Each structure stands twice: as C-alpha cells, then as structure tokens.
Amino acid sequence: MTVEKHLSDIPVVIIGAGPVGVTAALLLARRGVRSVVLERHQDVYPLPRALVVDDEVRRILQAVGVGEEFAAIVRPGNGLRLLDARHRVMAEFRRAEHGPHGYPQTSMFEQPALERLLRDALARHPECELLSGVEVTGIAPDAEGPVGVTYRDEAGEHHLRAEAVLGCDGANSLTREAIGAVWEDLRFEERWTVIDARTTADVRCWEGVDQVCDPDRPATFMRVGEESYRWEFRLRDGEQPPVRELVAPWLPPSYDGDFEVVRETAYTFRARIADRWRSGRVFLLGDAAHLTPPFIGQGLCAGLRDAYNLTWKLARVLRQGGDERLLATYESERAPHARHVIRLAVAMGWAMTGGQDGAAALRRRLLAVACRIPALTEAAGRDLSPALTTGPLVRRRTRRGSRLVGTHCPQPWVDADGRRSRLDEVLGDTFAVLTVADPSPSLNALALGLGVRAVPVSELRDDGTLAAWLRAGRADAVLLRPDRVVMDVVPAGARDFTDTTAWAALLHTTRSPQPSPRTVEKSLLRSATR
C-alpha cells in the first residue's frame, strides 16, 4: 500500500527523533510550523549517552518549553579538572553556578530522561506528528520545488513531499549521503570504552568532570546522578581489563560492595565535519553534520545549537515571507562554531594523552606550566560560543561600534507586568529591541516593522545586568534576533542603527509593508509642529 501526503500538509519533514530532531520540531511548532518526525526506533533509547549541557543549551530548552521540567532532573557541575597520572590536580576550569544565560554553566543529566521530556512535549503539540518504527529509504532534494521523502513501515512504502527536510539522523546519515556531502577529517580517531555504573560506594569525585592526562591510561570521569557515574578509558588494541580494575582508583580501597554496570561499550571517538550542510531545502543537523570527541561535553550541545539557529530562519521563510537567503546563513554561522568546538575537544584529547611521539613528554611539561597561569585557566573556562562573524544577520562592527555585535544577550530575571520571569519569557520568540533610555521615534518604527516593541531596560526592572551589559558594550540600543544574538547596535551617542536596508530585505514579512523609520519619524515631527 502507498500513501502520499501532500505538500500543504507537511511543511517540514524531520528525519530522526533524537534530542536534536525533537527540539527542532518543538521550536518550529512554537512558530506555527507543522512537521512530521520520522524515527526508526519505537521508543527512546534507554541507556545513557550525552551527560552534560551548558547554560546556553539550558536557555534553548527553556525556549522549547521544557526548561522547568529539565531543571528537576539535572544538577549543576563544578566544571573541569585536569589530573596527572597519579590523579593529582593540574588545573581546574571552574564553571559558574549562574552563567550569563541564566543557568549553571555546567549541568549534569542522563539523556534518556531528557528525551522523554522532549517526547512528552512533542505529544502536547498538534503541529507535530511523530511516526516511530519507520525506515527512511529515500530523499530527493529539489532546488526548485518540494523535497521528496520515502519511508517504509509495516503497511508498506509511503511517499511524502515537504517544503523542507531536516536530517537529524546521526553519524551514518542518509540525508548527508542524499545531498552529496562528505566528511572532512579533523585528525582525531581513538577507540575508548565507556562504562556507566550505579553504586552506593563513597566514590571519589568533585561534582564535575575529571580528565586524567595519562598517556598510558587516559580517562574521563564524572558523577551524573545521586548514585550514577560515567567512566571513559582509552584502551590499547586488544586490551579489555575488568571494569572493577579500571575504576578501582575512584573507589574505597578493597571495596567489594554493590557496583552495577549499566552499560559497557566501545566507542570510536572521531573529529569530523561535513563539507556541506545544505542542498536546497535539505539541511544537516547534529551528528549528521559534525562529530566531536566528548572531552569538553559539547556533542549534544552543538546539535541543539544547530536546531536553534536554523528553525527561526526556516519559520520566517515558510510563514512570513523571509528571503531564501536567510537559509544560507545557517551553515555560514554554525559551521565555524562547530569547527571551533571540535578543535577544542581535540586539543583536550591531546592534553589527556600527550600523544605518543618523541615530543609527548615536552608537551605534557608545557601543559603543566600553562595550567598554572591564571589568565589561561580563566580564558579556558569562558563561554564556548565566540561572537559570530560579520554576515547578513550580524552587522559589521563600526569604528566606534560595539563589542556586543554577534554575541548573546544575557538573560537575567526581570519583573514585568507584576511577575518575576526570565528575560526571554517576556520578549517572546521573535525579534526584540532593547534600549538604554526611552526609544526614539525611529527605533519605535523599526520595532513596529518587526512586529515587536522597543523596550527600555528600566521597564524590565532586572538586577542591573542589562544596563551594565549595554554600557560595557558602548551601546544605546541593540536589535536581538529570535535566538538572542545581537544583530545590530546603536552605538553610544548615535541616533539609529547603522544601516537597516540589507537585513530588512532579508526579513520582509507577509504583513503590509511598514514605512521606513525615517519616514515615520518625519511624520511624527510634522504632527508635533502642527
């Protein structure tokens, strides 16, 4: 039997119902875009995998609508320590309990619990349809028309047509193959064994992540939950020591109590990035687009950032008449950041192993010296999202411009309409204009054209974070994108945003055209002088 659903019924097909795919579906649903999610497994994979997210990703989960529920299943982590072969601390990279995005900078959790939260949220949205136990067999990109997707289930083969397809189908992605993308090898490949265990033993830990920098036995260790722990060890070819032998340094001497191995499996850690992330309206997200060693805990984080970056742009094109060129900014913005994160993870991997060549001992000595320099350890503990470079959605920094362009706006608690809320809950899912003082008529007109209101930070009654942030960035006003990246600034002492023509063309909507800010300002001035 063959069933065909028409283009008007399925704006977006998402392949893969892991955290990245479901997050993308939920973000699209919040903007009124319907999707069908195709997943080959019947249910959530029950064993632990990803364990760490940062405060930026906590903010994304807030936008998805599961922020409070997720808060109930996570615990903050202290950050990262580097240990030598004898488990002596070489360096600590502390992460704050309250980061700029409004959450702990490191949060520990178990992936199956997160996936269940996301699946439950998906079930609450009529805009999303999840089809489980299906196998996608074909994807036909088309630069001029709808994308064809073929899948098979117990009833037979089905054909879908969609306005866009998001490939969230992992490292062995069929979507990547369909668009002709290939891996670029970033030169890291090692086989490790991963052990997840539960025990009531008094395990030695510091409530963060430990990286053991031992070329003979590099290891990663962290406490995940009250009685759950994760170990990762690089093993030599053909070597498979008993689990208890591997984890013995973390357990009490001669401990023979309870120790349940939940999972023991071998992984090959790789560093790769796809040479292209898009063909027409077919996109790669998450592990389909990039693979990173896990040493800085950014694998899942990078995938959720992909979804957050792409979905608001796709929704604007599909629902509000945004220019197709918006979609090209997905890869140009996300690929450099993914490459940056992968290189950091590879560097951490080399720090742990020291390599096996003649310079390994020298590198380890240099690392030990570098770890004693406070400025370096402080820099290593900062936000892992550097500012986006100049592009269609990130205005060029002017000579007197602001350091804020391309960075994220912080998210303090605010008091608005008599309620204490997080900033993004007040601003909503669209653009926002924040100003130091009462906005000028031209700023009000610009905000009106985007369907938002220009808001003086004094109205938000926060703890002073926003005003201090604007002052430090020498900005009188900022234009925030839906993903809370600063798109443009009004530098201190200036009158208006530098040039709205280029990005206004990209963001035009299906509403009636709005008059330009200058036109509105002149009209208001004429009215005031009558």
Side-chain angles (χ1 to χ4, degrees):
M1 181 177 71
T2 298
V3 177
E4 182 155 339
K5 296 188 177 183
H6 294 291
L7 174 65
S8 58
D9 295 330
I10 308 174
V12 180
V13 169
I14 299 172
I15 302 174
V20 176
V22 177
T23 294
L26 291 169
L27 290 169
L28 289 170
R30 289 176 69 89
R31 293 176 169 84
V33 178
R34 288 179 296 147
S35 64
V36 169
V37 184
L38 304 177
E39 169 57 45
R40 63 191 181 96
H41 296 294
Q42 288 288 354
D43 201 358
V44 169
Y45 185 72
L47 296 178
R49 283 162 292 160
L51 300 173
V52 179
V53 292
D54 58 26
D55 55 328
E56 183 184 341
V57 170
R58 291 286 299 269
R59 191 174 185 175
I60 294 172
L61 293 174
Q62 173 191 319
V64 167
V66 299
E68 295 304 317
E69 297 164 289
F70 188 62
I73 64 170
V74 301
R75 60 182 193 83
N78 286 338
L80 173 71
R81 292 193 311 187
L82 299 184
L83 310 181
D84 66 13
R86 295 171 61 184
H87 291 209
R88 296 174 300 188
V89 177
M90 299 167 61
E92 288 186 3
F93 305 109
R94 289 274 178 173
R95 304 289 276 168
E97 290 188 19
H98 187 85
H101 296 281
Y103 295 95
Q105 287 188 292
T106 298
S107 295
M108 318 293 287
F109 71 104
E110 293 187 351
Q111 184 171 329
L114 170 61
E115 291 200 43
R116 292 187 188 99
L117 290 182
L118 292 171
R119 293 280 186 100
D120 290 346
L122 196 73
R124 296 193 293 267
H125 281 275
E127 301 90 348
C128 308
E129 182 181 1
L130 172 62
L131 302 181
S132 300
V134 306
E135 180 187 2
V136 176
T137 57
I139 303 164
D142 188 333
E144 302 298 328
V147 182
V149 177
T150 305
Y151 72 90
R152 183 184 300 115
D153 62 13
E154 293 179 350
E157 193 170 76
H158 307 258
H159 304 287
L160 307 178
R161 295 188 303 157
E163 294 184 65
V165 170
L166 309 188
C168 308
D169 46 349
N172 299 316
S173 170
L174 177 66
T175 313
R176 189 178 60 250
E177 180 181 340
I179 69 171
V182 296
W183 284 127
E184 176 189 349
D185 190 346
L186 299 183
R187 300 190 179 186
F188 186 94
E189 183 168 326
E190 292 185 350
R191 287 186 57 80
W192 286 57
T193 189
V194 176
I195 299 165
D196 291 291
R198 298 187 184 278
T199 180
T200 58
D202 185 17
V203 178
R204 293 171 47 206
C205 62
W206 81 302
E207 303 302 331
V209 179
D210 279 345
Q211 305 280 19
V212 181
C213 302
D214 178 2
D216 293 324
R217 180 73 79 217
T220 301
F221 166 71
M222 68 197 79
R223 179 185 175 197
V224 182
E226 193 64 31
E227 297 177 354
S228 58
Y229 303 87
R230 159 74 60 86
W231 284 269
E232 298 168 357
F233 300 93
R234 193 187 71 181
L235 302 180
R236 303 179 189 90
D237 291 342
E239 182 188 26
Q240 190 58 56
V243 168
R244 292 294 287 266
E245 177 183 320
L246 290 169
V247 305
W250 286 269
L251 297 176
S254 304
Y255 179 75
D256 61 358
D258 67 306
F259 191 90
E260 177 192 359
V261 177
V262 177
R263 181 183 67 147
E264 180 185 7
T265 189
Y267 275 101
T268 299
F269 294 158
R270 294 185 173 95
R272 293 179 176 178
I273 190 166
D275 67 339
R276 58 187 300 195
W277 292 27
R278 174 196 180 201
S279 175
R281 286 194 180 172
V282 180
F283 303 87
L284 303 179
L285 293 80
D287 286 355
H290 42 76
L291 296 175
T292 179
F295 305 126
I296 58 173
Q298 285 291 302
L300 176 60
C301 295
L304 296 185
R305 288 187 176 97
D306 294 344
Y308 201 38
N309 183 287
L310 175 60
T311 50
W312 75 264
K313 299 169 183 176
L314 183 58
R316 194 155 191 102
V317 170
L318 296 180
R319 297 270 299 174
Q320 296 177 285
D323 193 289
E324 195 79 14
R325 290 175 297 166
L326 268 177
L327 303 179
T329 67
Y330 165 60
E331 181 176 349
S332 65
E333 291 183 350
R334 283 296 306 136
H337 178 266
R339 186 182 295 272
H340 168 76
V341 167
I342 293 170
R343 283 176 171 165
L344 285 177
V346 169
M348 182 62 69
W350 280 110
M352 292 170 64
T353 65
Q356 303 299 320
D357 58 22
L362 175 61
R363 281 199 295 271
R364 287 194 293 277
R365 288 196 294 271
L366 291 174
L367 172 67
V369 172
C371 287
R372 299 190 188 102
I373 303 173
L376 290 180
T377 55
E378 180 184 351
R382 289 177 190 156
D383 194 343
L384 290 172
S385 286
L388 295 180
T389 56
T390 298
L393 294 174
V394 178
R395 301 305 299 155
R396 185 179 302 278
R397 295 167 178 81
T398 62
R399 182 173 298 175
R400 15 176 311 210
S402 170
R403 298 188 303 271
L404 302 183
V405 177
T407 68
H408 284 90
C409 173
Q411 183 184 216
W413 287 92
V414 300
D415 291 312
D417 300 323
R419 293 189 311 165
R420 182 167 167 79
S421 307
R422 297 185 186 273
L423 176 66
D424 291 356
E425 295 169 342
V426 174
L427 299 180
D429 292 330
T430 185
F431 289 85
V433 177
L434 297 182
T435 65
V436 170
D438 290 339
S440 66
S442 62
L443 286 182
N444 273 325
L446 172 66
L448 179 63
L450 290 170
V452 300
R453 184 170 67 94
V455 182
V457 294
S458 58
E459 283 189 15
L460 297 170
R461 295 186 293 279
D462 68 332
D463 59 1
T465 296
L466 293 173
W469 174 68
L470 289 168
R471 283 196 304 270
R474 302 192 299 277
D476 282 348
V478 292
L479 173 61
L480 303 180
R481 308 183 335 179
D483 56 6
R484 298 303 167 237
V485 170
V486 177
M487 180 172 175
D488 203 354
V489 302
V490 176
R495 183 176 178 83
D496 211 337
F497 289 105
T498 52
D499 176 18
T500 63
T501 305
W503 54 256
L506 287 175
L507 300 173
H508 75 273
T509 70
T510 53
R511 302 187 191 92
S512 299
Q514 298 290 340
S516 70
R518 294 296 185 196
T519 301
V520 172
E521 185 173 12
K522 290 177 181 178
S523 176
L524 290 171
L525 288 173
R526 282 197 300 270
S527 298
T529 56
R530 285 175 185 167

PDB file of all heavy atoms in Angstrom, residues 8-19:
ATOM      1  N   SER A   8       1.074  20.746   1.106  1.00  0.00           N
ATOM      2  CA  SER A   8       0.416  21.664   2.024  1.00  0.00           C
ATOM      3  C   SER A   8       0.230  21.056   3.403  1.00  0.00           C
ATOM      4  O   SER A   8       0.065  21.763   4.395  1.00  0.00           O
ATOM      5  CB  SER A   8      -0.949  22.089   1.460  1.00  0.00           C
ATOM      6  OG  SER A   8      -1.753  20.944   1.250  1.00  0.00           O
ATOM      7  N   ASP A   9       0.237  19.726   3.481  1.00  0.00           N
ATOM      8  CA  ASP A   9       0.033  19.051   4.756  1.00  0.00           C
ATOM      9  C   ASP A   9       1.317  18.937   5.564  1.00  0.00           C
ATOM     10  O   ASP A   9       1.267  18.800   6.787  1.00  0.00           O
ATOM     11  CB  ASP A   9      -0.528  17.642   4.531  1.00  0.00           C
ATOM     12  CG  ASP A   9      -1.916  17.674   3.923  1.00  0.00           C
ATOM     13  OD1 ASP A   9      -2.650  18.648   4.195  1.00  0.00           O
ATOM     14  OD2 ASP A   9      -2.251  16.740   3.190  1.00  0.00           O
ATOM     15  N   ILE A  10       2.491  18.939   4.893  1.00  0.00           N
ATOM     16  CA  ILE A  10       3.747  18.672   5.585  1.00  0.00           C
ATOM     17  C   ILE A  10       4.772  19.736   5.201  1.00  0.00           C
ATOM     18  O   ILE A  10       5.565  19.530   4.278  1.00  0.00           O
ATOM     19  CB  ILE A  10       4.290  17.265   5.249  1.00  0.00           C
ATOM     20  CG1 ILE A  10       3.203  16.217   5.477  1.00  0.00           C
ATOM     21  CG2 ILE A  10       5.509  16.946   6.106  1.00  0.00           C
ATOM     22  CD1 ILE A  10       3.601  14.852   5.040  1.00  0.00           C
ATOM     23  N   PRO A  11       4.762  20.860   5.882  1.00  0.00           N
ATOM     24  CA  PRO A  11       5.787  21.864   5.571  1.00  0.00           C
ATOM     25  C   PRO A  11       7.202  21.351   5.800  1.00  0.00           C
ATOM     26  O   PRO A  11       8.094  21.616   5.003  1.00  0.00           O
ATOM     27  CB  PRO A  11       5.446  23.022   6.524  1.00  0.00           C
ATOM     28  CG  PRO A  11       4.001  22.835   6.845  1.00  0.00           C
ATOM     29  CD  PRO A  11       3.785  21.358   6.854  1.00  0.00           C
ATOM     30  N   VAL A  12       7.416  20.599   6.902  1.00  0.00           N
ATOM     31  CA  VAL A  12       8.775  20.157   7.241  1.00  0.00           C
ATOM     32  C   VAL A  12       8.759  18.685   7.633  1.00  0.00           C
ATOM     33  O   VAL A  12       7.929  18.270   8.450  1.00  0.00           O
ATOM     34  CB  VAL A  12       9.371  20.990   8.398  1.00  0.00           C
ATOM     35  CG1 VAL A  12      10.783  20.505   8.731  1.00  0.00           C
ATOM     36  CG2 VAL A  12       9.392  22.475   8.053  1.00  0.00           C
ATOM     37  N   VAL A  13       9.646  17.907   7.054  1.00  0.00           N
ATOM     38  CA  VAL A  13       9.897  16.533   7.480  1.00  0.00           C
ATOM     39  C   VAL A  13      11.215  16.513   8.225  1.00  0.00           C
ATOM     40  O   VAL A  13      12.222  17.033   7.732  1.00  0.00           O
ATOM     41  CB  VAL A  13       9.931  15.560   6.289  1.00  0.00           C
ATOM     42  CG1 VAL A  13      10.466  14.199   6.722  1.00  0.00           C
ATOM     43  CG2 VAL A  13       8.542  15.403   5.699  1.00  0.00           C
ATOM     44  N   ILE A  14      11.217  15.920   9.414  1.00  0.00           N
ATOM     45  CA  ILE A  14      12.418  15.805  10.239  1.00  0.00           C
ATOM     46  C   ILE A  14      12.767  14.328  10.349  1.00  0.00           C
ATOM     47  O   ILE A  14      11.929  13.521  10.757  1.00  0.00           O
ATOM     48  CB  ILE A  14      12.205  16.419  11.632  1.00  0.00           C
ATOM     49  CG1 ILE A  14      11.882  17.917  11.501  1.00  0.00           C
ATOM     50  CG2 ILE A  14      13.433  16.207  12.521  1.00  0.00           C
ATOM     51  CD1 ILE A  14      11.472  18.578  12.796  1.00  0.00           C
ATOM     52  N   ILE A  15      13.978  13.979   9.969  1.00  0.00           N
ATOM     53  CA  ILE A  15      14.405  12.583   9.993  1.00  0.00           C
ATOM     54  C   ILE A  15      15.250  12.374  11.240  1.00  0.00           C
ATOM     55  O   ILE A  15      16.359  12.907  11.354  1.00  0.00           O
ATOM     56  CB  ILE A  15      15.189  12.230   8.724  1.00  0.00           C
ATOM     57  CG1 ILE A  15      14.331  12.507   7.484  1.00  0.00           C
ATOM     58  CG2 ILE A  15      15.626  10.767   8.754  1.00  0.00           C
ATOM     59  CD1 ILE A  15      15.062  12.320   6.180  1.00  0.00           C
ATOM     60  N   GLY A  16      14.715  11.622  12.188  1.00  0.00           N
ATOM     61  CA  GLY A  16      15.402  11.358  13.448  1.00  0.00           C
ATOM     62  C   GLY A  16      14.709  12.041  14.611  1.00  0.00           C
ATOM     63  O   GLY A  16      14.536  13.263  14.608  1.00  0.00           O
ATOM     64  N   ALA A  17      14.316  11.255  15.612  1.00  0.00           N
ATOM     65  CA  ALA A  17      13.609  11.785  16.779  1.00  0.00           C
ATOM     66  C   ALA A  17      14.477  11.749  18.025  1.00  0.00           C
ATOM     67  O   ALA A  17      13.987  11.556  19.137  1.00  0.00           O
ATOM     68  CB  ALA A  17      12.311  11.017  17.027  1.00  0.00           C
ATOM     69  N   GLY A  18      15.796  11.947  17.837  1.00  0.00           N
ATOM     70  CA  GLY A  18      16.660  12.160  18.993  1.00  0.00           C
ATOM     71  C   GLY A  18      16.445  13.560  19.529  1.00  0.00           C
ATOM     72  O   GLY A  18      15.548  14.301  19.085  1.00  0.00           O
ATOM     73  N   PRO A  19      17.254  13.979  20.497  1.00  0.00           N
ATOM     74  CA  PRO A  19      17.061  15.318  21.078  1.00  0.00           C
ATOM     75  C   PRO A  19      17.104  16.442  20.059  1.00  0.00           C
ATOM     76  O   PRO A  19      16.342  17.413  20.164  1.00  0.00           O
ATOM     77  CB  PRO A  19      18.209  15.429  22.084  1.00  0.00           C
ATOM     78  CG  PRO A  19      18.583  14.023  22.419  1.00  0.00           C
ATOM     79  CD  PRO A  19      18.328  13.238  21.171  1.00  0.00           C
TER      80      PRO A  19
END
